[in-house]
Amino acid sequence: MSGKLYVVGTPIGNLSDFSERGKEALEKADFIAAEDTRVTVKLLNHFGIKKEMVSYYEHNKRDKGEFIINRILKGESCALVSDAGMPAISDPGEELVRAAHEAGVTVESVPGPCALVTALAISGMPSGRFCFEGFLSVNKISRRKHLNELKDEKRTMIFYEAPHKLPATLKDMLAAFGDRRAALVRELTKIHETVFRTTLSGAAEYYEQNPPKGEFVLIIEGKQEEEEVCSLENAAELAKKLMNGGSSLSSAAKEAAEATGVKKSEIYKILLDSKKADDREK
Ligand code: SAM
């Protein structure tokens, strides 16, 4: 009988956030697939766990993935971890999880902190509908293309970003989206955890002067609905009121058009039709 693949979330800063189930999963598994064994060994040492580790990262994931799945199929259980947070979320793991499903291996969740969800929850930004965009490309052209594709996105957008790229990214966001509300959430669960609620221009200006340090999640407001266009009926109503106040039909149509953005000719036609109807009744 095959073993299981446990997908284990680990702390994103504060080690006290590691769950009992997370620790148990690492203790019980036959081996741990870790993004960086030098990082995970610190977590294991902190909790007094001794376990075989297999490195599983971006550049060895094909060969190591097969090796890991074969071991699981032979009956061993594996706990998958990344350096911090949930594996497979802007971290290695997605392919291994897929391969496990395809091989008929049971995948079990052992959830832990995830920076994007934690940042959104404390940002005070609209959280009803959001999209996660991960890291932007280091390539300037691809980064700008990606942002440009998002300019009409209405949902709150969440990005991960490295501090050294933050000033350039903020400027590109400002160029693509215009000045929007933004929350820059920094150093989650650590001593210097902060939520900087500002605008894209405010953030760009601030980080131009103050070099960013630490880990960041960027939460950017989605595109706001255009102001509702006034209906033709309401515009005609306004024009009729103007006529009752003494304006001529033509100037009432003109004034109502200017005030509402509705075409003057359309308002004019309605006023004319209703005048004709009134004249017939007399
Ligand atoms: N798998 C992780 C998760 O579940 O959130 C994300 C890993 S990704 C390689 C690392 C990025 O996540 C960082 O560059 C930063 O954008 C964000 N991040 C991770 N830990 C963070 C923290 N403590 N505070 C703020 N952002 C954090």
Side-chain angles (χ1 to χ4, degrees):
M1 203 180 122
S2 80
K4 277 188 190 176
L5 177 68
Y6 296 94
V7 179
V8 183
T10 57
I12 54 172
N14 191 325
L15 291 180
S16 304
D17 291 336
F18 201 23
S19 72
E20 284 305 315
R21 277 192 71 225
K23 286 177 238 170
E24 258 172 45
L26 299 194
E27 267 158 5
K28 282 192 187 157
D30 293 297
F31 66 103
I32 297 170
E35 179 185 6
D36 186 337
T37 55
R38 292 162 305 179
V39 173
T40 300
V41 77
K42 290 183 196 152
L43 184 76
L44 297 188
N45 289 344
H46 182 87
F47 291 104
I49 301 168
K50 284 197 168 55
K51 191 67 56 177
E52 179 200 350
M53 282 190 283
V54 169
S55 72
Y56 177 80
Y57 56 92
E58 192 53 33
H59 299 291
N60 74 358
K61 64 188 181 193
R62 271 188 71 180
D63 293 346
K64 278 294 169 67
E66 232 179 280
F67 170 76
I68 292 165
I69 297 295
N70 281 335
R71 283 184 66 170
I72 300 176
L73 285 172
K74 284 182 187 147
E76 290 185 282
S77 285
C78 171
L80 168 68
V81 296
S82 61
D83 289 352
M86 283 304 288
I89 305 299
S90 293
D91 263 345
E94 182 185 324
E95 288 88 346
L96 187 64
V97 170
R98 186 164 41 246
H101 284 298
E102 283 167 6
V105 165
T106 303
V107 178
E108 194 169 307
S109 69
V110 186
C114 178
L116 77 103
V117 173
T118 313
L120 178 63
I122 67 163
S123 69
M125 296 286 276
S127 59
R129 296 186 67 199
F130 63 89
C131 58
F132 174 54
E133 294 295 321
F135 285 103
L136 291 165
S137 167
V138 277
N139 176 284
K140 208 194 286 181
I141 294 169
S142 321
R143 186 174 68 217
R144 289 180 180 170
K145 186 169 172 274
H146 184 162
L147 291 173
N148 221 38
E149 282 166 7
L150 288 171
K151 69 180 189 323
D152 293 325
E153 175 58 63
K154 292 193 174 70
R155 295 170 293 179
T156 299
M157 296 173 281
I158 306 178
F159 299 86
Y160 284 163
E161 192 52 292
H164 65 279
K165 283 165 48 199
L166 187 67
T169 294
L170 289 170
K171 279 186 210 147
D172 285 350
M173 284 180 168
L174 184 59
F177 303 150
D179 207 7
R180 302 237 185 122
R181 285 196 299 151
L184 282 74
V185 185
R186 198 179 142 256
E187 294 287 88
L188 283 161
T189 77
K190 303 181 200 172
I191 298 168
H192 298 294
E193 175 176 293
T194 36
V195 181
F196 179 22
R197 283 166 54 80
T198 178
T199 56
L200 280 173
S201 64
E205 208 173 298
Y206 180 82
Y207 285 112
E208 186 74 27
Q209 310 297 327
N210 306 279
K213 285 190 207 120
E215 295 194 280
F216 284 84
V217 180
L218 315 183
I219 318 246
I220 315 296
E221 176 181 52
K223 187 179 180 179
Q224 299 301 289
E225 293 285 347
E226 306 283 336
E227 265 191 26
E228 220 178 279
V229 179
C230 183
S231 70
L232 178 56
E233 290 73 27
N234 288 345
E237 251 338 286
L238 173 65
K240 280 178 191 166
K241 280 185 190 148
L242 292 168
M243 282 176 75
N244 291 340
S247 295
S248 69
L249 191 148
S250 170
S251 61
K254 183 169 180 269
E255 228 177 293
E258 282 167 1
T260 61
V262 175
K263 269 191 179 168
K264 180 190 165 192
S265 58
E266 287 176 10
I267 303 172
Y268 190 90
K269 187 175 177 302
I270 291 195
L271 294 183
L272 204 60
D273 288 348
S274 80
K275 186 173 179 298
K276 278 181 194 159
D278 287 346
D279 288 347
R280 271 198 301 274
E281 272 174 34
K282 278 180 193 164

